[in-house]
């Protein structure tokens, strides 16, 4: 069967209409409104691109959580990496820095990686950390650093690459880890009393952590969850299931994305991540310090992270966001981009004020690109 | 330090629009020869001549690689200018061809490009009656600039769409842009993606002969920035709303698959052998049939209509029945990275 055939029912307009009818029916007997949070930029893309919010009844609210790893990467880390580049140059060493296309443009009070490049530093955009690895092999006399943001989906290849580098003894390959844990991040939001009635779990993150990686959220906080794929009907199905589960008080994790996600997840990836990384407290830009949500290399591998090789002084009290930017509230699911006074006026993808407008996975960027109508 | 020209300034999106309006149109003074002039930013200019109109247009072609799946810069240069004339409602009469060639280009490459231009011009047919050749030191391979004149009985502008009209496209959308990008990114599929580059005068002519020029209210070739840009321009210049249905927009499955892999919408990339037509409602079926009788229009489809609400905007009804705006791309779409 071709991919087309597998995917077809998940895009079928008639099936979608039936799902929407059922959602409307279930919503009639809801006590007030339900706030469903998703935590993945690609889900936001599906929702906005296919106009899902325009089809939902008023009391079914789908909000976007902190699903954009690039958006929540701390200002301090971006600045620290820039300072490391400068310090290395002062010491007569040239670092090649790689990162992803959307990370490249994220603004900070001290500029972006793109600004650093325009000053003549060697900053390159890569598609994956594997490109960095190849670059390190091609440039044995230079240190090649990958500034590495991302949730579990991106942490897995980083761990795999670290494994290869350790096995080969490749000495000029380094990372700067700003990896984060998704379910643990959401737990902090719940503890901080963000209102989340139900969760659409990120499909790709789930391929790594499995169904079991999310279960503690239902057990501890009574929140129903559905792991969903990325086609419009995947999301509509998840919404329908979540409304029903919420009404029945059925707090567990349902796997709608069975074509990709297993109960136990990718155990090989989990082992590698656990071998090389330890869990630490970490800052989420615009959200604050989230205990137990960051990943740093373990003791014996520490010198593979460039931040442990160069000590730099990051200025204190760097503001996370420009005045008035609602990125923090957007990431908490408390506001939609259209609530922000800057959105589409002073803040556009060409002149972004906040990180949510820069990243391809940022809610503001997606809203702007597709023009939201609901 | 003043502002510098960036690639986005030439990418056909909003940034380019600003460059045209704020720099080029503001600086030039004499911009009209009595008909549609530079200020209209249409596909070409018109000059009244007796009871007809001369249509005049020019197009510079820079493409990498020079030879791509489905075509080459020669075919592109002839088609691009012929199509600009065609969508103004003009029968192509003659072309001019200026080539700027980088030192070191293989003579054989130049010959292949010229043969391709020759074949394409015979396909229309339209003679290439004058030209100019320059060689420069810069390693540009080659740029081909073609100008063309045509004769129109009744020029068709982008501003003529009326509420109630029907919108058609002459075939599958996104072929050229997605084929080139996949080629550049090295993405391979079972079926090779091919550019649709072709002159489409015969498609336009077939429709006009069937329904009459007076019922053809607006036309555009959805080149740079694609279908979304073409529709938005028509909506804006005609001051109408446009509603299109995603389920009715023809897209080849392999183009859809590649565009999803690249993270680029097929609506936002160039087509080089397609026309978007806005016709009077009562003639829509006849127009569709006339298009489908031509070889290049056999996959033509009715994709939407002109509405009264949301003037200046394009509304997309998604495959699942949701609604959103179809915004023009900001600049050249680049493949999604992360």
């Amino acid at each position: 069967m071709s991919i087309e055939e597998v995917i077809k029912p998940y895009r079928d307009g008639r099936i979608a209409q039936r799902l929407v009818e059922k959602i409307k029916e279930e919503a009639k007997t809801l006590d007030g409104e339900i706030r469903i949070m998703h935590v993945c930029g690609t889900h936001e893309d599906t929702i906005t691109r296919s106009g899902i919010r325009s089809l939902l009844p008023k009391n079914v609210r789908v909000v976007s959580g902190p699903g954009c790893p690039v958006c929540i990467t701390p200002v301090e880390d971006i600045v620290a990496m820039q300072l490391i580049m400068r310090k290395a140059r002062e010491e007569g060493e040239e670092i090649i820095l790689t990162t992803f296309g959307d990370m490249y443009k994220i603004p900070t009070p001290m500029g972006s990686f793109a600004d650093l490049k325009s000053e003549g530093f060697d900053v390159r955009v890569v598609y994956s950390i594997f490109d960095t690895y190849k670059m390190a092999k091609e440039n044995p006399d230079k240190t090649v650093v990958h500034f590495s943001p991302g949730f579990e989906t991106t942490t897995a290849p980083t761990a795999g690459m670290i494994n290869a580098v350790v096995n080969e003894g490749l000495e000029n390959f380094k990372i700067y880890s700003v990896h984060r844990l998704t379910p643990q991040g959401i737990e902090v939001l719940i503890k901080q009393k963000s209102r989340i009635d139900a969760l659409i779990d990120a499909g790709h993150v789930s391929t790594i952590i499995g169904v079991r990686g999310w279960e503690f959220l239902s057990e501890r906080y009574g929140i129903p969850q559905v792991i969903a794929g990325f086609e419009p009907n995947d999301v509509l199905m998840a919404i329908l299931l979540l409304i029903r589960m919420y009404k029945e008080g059925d707090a567990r994790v349902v796997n709608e994305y069975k074509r990709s996600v297993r109960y136990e997840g990718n155990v090989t990836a989990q082992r590698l991540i656990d071998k090389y990384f330890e869990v630490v407290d970490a800052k989420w830009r615009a959200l604050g310090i989230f205990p137990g949500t960051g990943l740093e290399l373990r003791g014996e591998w520490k010198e593979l992270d460039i931040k442990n090789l160069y000590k730099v002084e990051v200025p204190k009290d760097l503001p996370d966001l420009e005045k008035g930017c609602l990125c923090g509230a957007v990431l908490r699911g408390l506001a939609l981009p259209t609530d922000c006074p800057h959105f589409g006026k002073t803040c556009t993808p060409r002149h972004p004020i906040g990180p949510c407008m820069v990243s391809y996975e940022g809610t503001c960027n997606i809203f702007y690109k597709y023009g939201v109508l609901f | 330090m003043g502002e510098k020209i960036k690639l986005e300034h030439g990418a056909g999106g909003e940034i380019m629009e600003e460059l045209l309006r704020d720099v080029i149109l503001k600086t030039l003074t004499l911009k009209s020869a009595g008909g549609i002039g530079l200020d209209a930013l249409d596909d070409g200019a018109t000059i009244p001549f007796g009871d007809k109109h001369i249509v005049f247009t020019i197009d510079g072609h820079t493409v990498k690689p020079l030879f791509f799946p489905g075509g080459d810069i020669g075919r592109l240069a002839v088609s691009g200018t012929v199509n600009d004339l065609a969508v103004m409602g003009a029968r192509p009469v003659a072309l001019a061809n200026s080539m700027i060639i980088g030192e070191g280009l293989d003579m054989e490459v130049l010959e292949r490009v010229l043969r391709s231009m020759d074949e394409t011009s015979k396909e229309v047919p339209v003679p290439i009656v004058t030209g100019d050749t320059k060689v420069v030191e810069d390693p540009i391979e080659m740029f081909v600039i073609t100008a063309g004149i045509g004769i129109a009985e009744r020029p068709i502008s982008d501003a003529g769409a009326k509420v109630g009209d029907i919108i058609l496209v002459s075939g599958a959308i996104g072929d050229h842009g997605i084929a080139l990008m996949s080629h550049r990114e090295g993405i391979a599929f079972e079926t090779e993606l091919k550019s649709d580059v072709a002159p489409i005068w015969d498609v336009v002519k077939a429709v006009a002969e069937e329904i009459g020029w007076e019922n053809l209210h607006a036309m555009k070739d959805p080149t740079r920035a694609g279908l979304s840009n073409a529709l938005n321009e028509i909506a804006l210049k005609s001051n109408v709303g446009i509603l299109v249905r995603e389920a009715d927009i023809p897209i080849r499955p392999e183009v859809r698959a590649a565009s999803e892999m690249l993270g680029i919408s097929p609506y936002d990339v160039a087509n080089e052998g397609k026309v978007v037509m806005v016709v009077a409602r009562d003639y829509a079926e006849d127009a569709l049939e006339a298009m489908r009788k031509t070889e290049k229009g056999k996959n033509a489809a009715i994709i939407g209509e002109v509405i009264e609400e949301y003037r200046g905007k394009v509304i997309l009804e998604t495959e699942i029945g949701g609604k959103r705006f179809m915004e023009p791309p900001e600049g050249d779409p680049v493949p999604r990275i992360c």
Side-chain angles (χ1 to χ4, degrees):
Chain A
M1 219 201 294
S2 73
I3 292 180
E4 290 284 313
E5 287 166 276
V6 175
I7 288 196
K8 213 169 170 203
Y10 296 96
R11 295 181 176 177
D12 186 285
R14 279 164 306 179
I15 295 175
Q17 292 304 331
R18 281 211 293 278
L19 286 168
V20 169
E21 286 313 312
K22 287 206 157 81
I23 288 171
K24 283 181 178 159
E25 226 175 273
E26 291 285 350
K28 277 184 201 154
T29 50
L30 263 173
D31 187 15
E33 67 161 27
I34 180 172
R35 282 173 67 90
I36 300 173
M37 180 181 270
H38 73 78
V39 284
C40 176
T42 311
H43 274 144
E44 185 55 47
D45 191 87
T46 303
I47 290 166
T48 307
R49 180 157 44 88
S50 44
I52 283 179
R53 288 194 184 91
S54 74
L55 295 168
L56 297 176
K58 285 226 162 4
N59 60 342
V60 177
R61 297 252 296 158
V62 177
V63 297
S64 161
C68 163
V70 160
C71 303
I72 56 102
T73 296
V75 166
E76 290 79 4
D77 287 299
I78 302 171
V79 168
M81 187 64 234
Q82 296 179 2
L83 294 174
I84 289 171
M85 295 287 281
R86 292 182 197 284
K87 189 162 187 192
R89 176 170 282 188
E90 278 165 25
E91 292 173 5
E93 241 213 278
E94 281 298 314
I95 290 177
I96 300 176
L97 176 67
T98 69
T99 196
F100 301 121
D102 36 5
M103 190 71 243
Y104 180 68
K105 290 185 284 186
I106 294 287
T108 78
M110 294 177 71
S112 64
F113 289 136
D115 297 326
L116 195 69
K117 186 183 171 76
S118 68
E119 279 183 50
F121 286 90
D122 195 347
V123 186
R124 306 183 194 180
V125 169
V126 290
Y127 287 78
S128 91
I129 192 168
F130 185 63
D131 295 332
T132 315
Y133 166 79
K134 283 188 288 185
M135 239 175 253
K137 290 196 131 182
E138 285 159 15
N139 297 278
D141 52 332
K142 282 186 177 166
T143 302
V144 183
V145 180
H146 184 63
F147 190 83
S148 199
F151 295 125
E152 292 79 350
T153 330
T154 326
T155 313
T158 304
M161 220 64 261
I162 292 284
N163 192 50
V165 164
V166 167
N167 288 341
E168 287 173 38
L170 187 66
E171 284 186 355
N172 63 328
F173 174 98
K174 308 286 172 197
I175 62 167
Y176 188 119
S177 172
V178 269
H179 287 293
R180 297 288 182 268
L181 298 167
T182 316
Q184 286 73 12
I186 297 165
E187 183 180 26
V188 177
L189 284 186
I190 296 168
K191 282 185 182 162
Q192 292 178 348
K193 307 271 181 263
S194 271
R195 185 182 153 195
I196 304 169
D197 297 327
L199 269 173
I200 299 174
D201 294 336
H204 294 151
V205 166
S206 306
T207 58
I208 306 294
I209 67 171
V211 176
R212 66 176 178 189
W214 299 96
E215 284 176 333
F216 73 100
L217 288 175
S218 292
E219 286 159 13
R220 286 183 204 162
Y221 305 99
I223 292 177
Q225 307 177 65
V226 174
I227 295 171
F230 297 98
E231 300 302 328
N233 290 346
D234 284 318
V235 175
L236 286 172
M237 178 63 94
I239 293 170
L240 177 62
L241 288 171
L242 286 171
I243 299 174
R244 284 183 182 158
M245 290 162 77
Y246 177 67
K247 289 202 302 193
E248 290 162 13
D250 181 10
R252 62 193 166 100
V253 187
V254 172
N255 183 8
E256 186 273 344
Y257 197 28
K258 285 210 171 93
R259 56 190 196 275
S260 293
V261 175
R262 287 174 298 192
Y263 175 76
E264 70 282 8
N266 182 339
V267 177
T268 312
Q270 290 167 14
R271 277 199 203 116
L272 277 179
I273 294 172
D274 188 50
K275 177 176 178 186
Y276 291 106
F277 288 98
E278 61 183 350
V279 176
V280 297
D281 297 348
K283 189 182 157 180
W284 293 47
R285 183 174 188 173
L287 299 176
I289 303 281
F290 282 17
T293 62
L295 291 174
E296 293 290 353
L297 290 174
R298 288 185 187 278
E300 56 187 303
W301 323 110
K302 272 216 173 325
E303 58 192 47
L304 285 170
D305 192 316
I306 195 84
K307 69 167 93 71
N308 299 319
L309 300 181
Y310 287 86
K311 285 293 152 214
V312 290
E313 288 277 323
V314 176
K316 291 211 165 50
D317 303 325
L318 287 173
D320 277 350
L321 301 171
E322 287 212 24
K323 229 177 171 174
C325 171
L326 281 192
C327 196
V330 169
L331 290 167
R332 286 179 190 276
L334 299 175
L336 284 174
T338 36
D339 299 327
C340 179
H342 290 298
F343 177 77
K345 299 183 183 89
T346 42
C347 184
T348 65
R350 278 172 61 202
H351 302 289
I353 286 184
C356 300
M357 185 55 97
V358 180
S359 173
Y360 298 101
E361 300 210 311
T363 305
C364 297
N365 183 289
I366 293 167
F367 266 54
Y368 189 88
K369 182 165 68 181
Y370 295 124
V372 179
L373 182 76
F374 59 89
Chain B
M1 200 168 60
E3 201 190 344
K4 298 249 199 275
I5 292 288
K6 294 190 214 135
L7 277 174
E8 289 89 352
H9 281 117
E14 275 176 51
I15 304 173
M16 178 159 185
E17 180 88 11
E18 280 173 27
L19 175 78
L20 298 183
R21 287 191 193 285
D22 300 345
V23 181
I24 297 177
L25 294 187
K26 266 192 192 156
T27 313
L28 300 175
T29 314
L30 301 176
K31 291 179 283 194
S32 166
I36 296 174
L38 196 60
D39 281 329
L41 292 177
D42 214 314
D43 301 288
T46 67
I47 306 161
F49 196 78
D51 61 345
K52 296 202 164 105
H53 302 261
I54 294 174
V55 177
F56 187 30
T57 190
I58 185 161
D59 214 338
H61 301 271
T62 62
V63 64
K64 264 186 206 164
L66 295 180
F67 301 90
F68 47 83
D72 57 77
I73 194 168
R75 184 166 176 79
L76 185 66
V78 172
S79 304
T81 294
V82 166
N83 294 350
D84 278 347
L85 294 173
V87 297
M88 296 291 292
R91 173 176 61 84
V93 172
L95 299 187
N97 172 31
S98 156
M99 294 183 295
I100 300 176
I101 305 167
E103 185 184 20
L105 187 81
D106 287 335
M107 186 64 80
E108 191 253 330
V109 168
L110 176 63
E111 284 166 1
R112 270 175 73 193
V113 170
L114 284 166
R115 277 199 299 276
S116 174
M117 291 186 86
D118 186 50
E119 273 161 33
T120 314
S121 78
K122 284 191 286 197
E123 196 178 315
V124 181
V126 61
I128 298 170
V129 295
T130 182
D132 176 55
T133 306
K134 295 277 189 308
V135 178
V136 296
E137 284 177 6
D138 312 69
I140 56 165
E141 294 192 303
M142 75 186 287
F143 297 159
V144 182
I145 301 105
T146 49
I149 57 165
I151 299 284
E153 288 169 29
R154 196 188 161 103
I156 316 262
S157 81
D158 301 339
K162 295 182 181 68
V163 173
D165 284 351
I166 297 294
I167 297 161
L168 298 89
V169 291
S170 63
I173 289 300
D175 293 6
H176 178 80
I178 297 292
L180 254 76
M181 258 177 257
S182 307
H183 186 64
R184 283 181 202 141
E185 298 295 329
I187 297 175
F189 289 89
E190 284 166 35
T191 5
E192 196 191 19
L193 299 176
K194 277 193 186 146
S195 165
D196 58 347
V197 56
I200 44 102
W201 163 242
D202 55 332
V203 180
V204 172
K205 187 169 141 220
V207 174
E209 279 171 0
E210 183 65 34
I211 70 170
W213 290 110
E214 68 280 7
N215 292 311
L216 232 165
H217 292 167
M219 254 197 293
K220 273 202 93 59
D221 53 337
T223 54
R224 264 181 311 188
L227 180 69
S228 51
N229 196 55
L231 292 173
N232 272 284
E233 275 197 35
I234 293 173
L236 206 62
K237 290 182 187 170
S238 303
N239 191 29
V240 293
I242 286 178
L243 173 72
V244 288
R245 286 172 294 271
E246 192 158 41
D248 295 336
I249 301 175
I251 295 178
R252 288 178 211 284
E254 59 270 29
V255 168
R256 184 187 299 267
S259 75
E260 281 171 15
M261 206 170 281
L262 293 161
I264 289 176
S265 165
Y267 310 140
D268 291 351
V269 301
N271 307 272
E272 295 292 347
K274 296 287 151 32
V275 55
V276 178
M277 268 188 206
V278 182
V279 304
R281 181 172 286 262
D282 294 346
Y283 296 86
E285 288 298 330
D286 294 344
L288 182 65
E289 213 170 297
M291 266 192 190
R292 284 185 173 168
K293 276 186 192 150
T294 65
E295 175 59 26
K296 289 159 200 159
K298 59 175 190 261
N299 297 319
I302 290 177
I303 60 164
E305 59 194 300
V306 179
I307 56 172
E308 200 162 350
E309 305 80 44
Y310 299 107
R311 284 177 189 269
K313 289 289 203 181
V314 181
I315 308 292
L316 183 76
E317 191 183 302
T318 69
E319 272 174 308
I320 61 158
K323 286 200 173 106
R324 64 170 168 92
F325 289 116
M326 188 189 215
E327 295 286 336
E330 256 200 38
D332 223 357
V334 287
R336 177 174 159 156
I337 312 282
C338 174

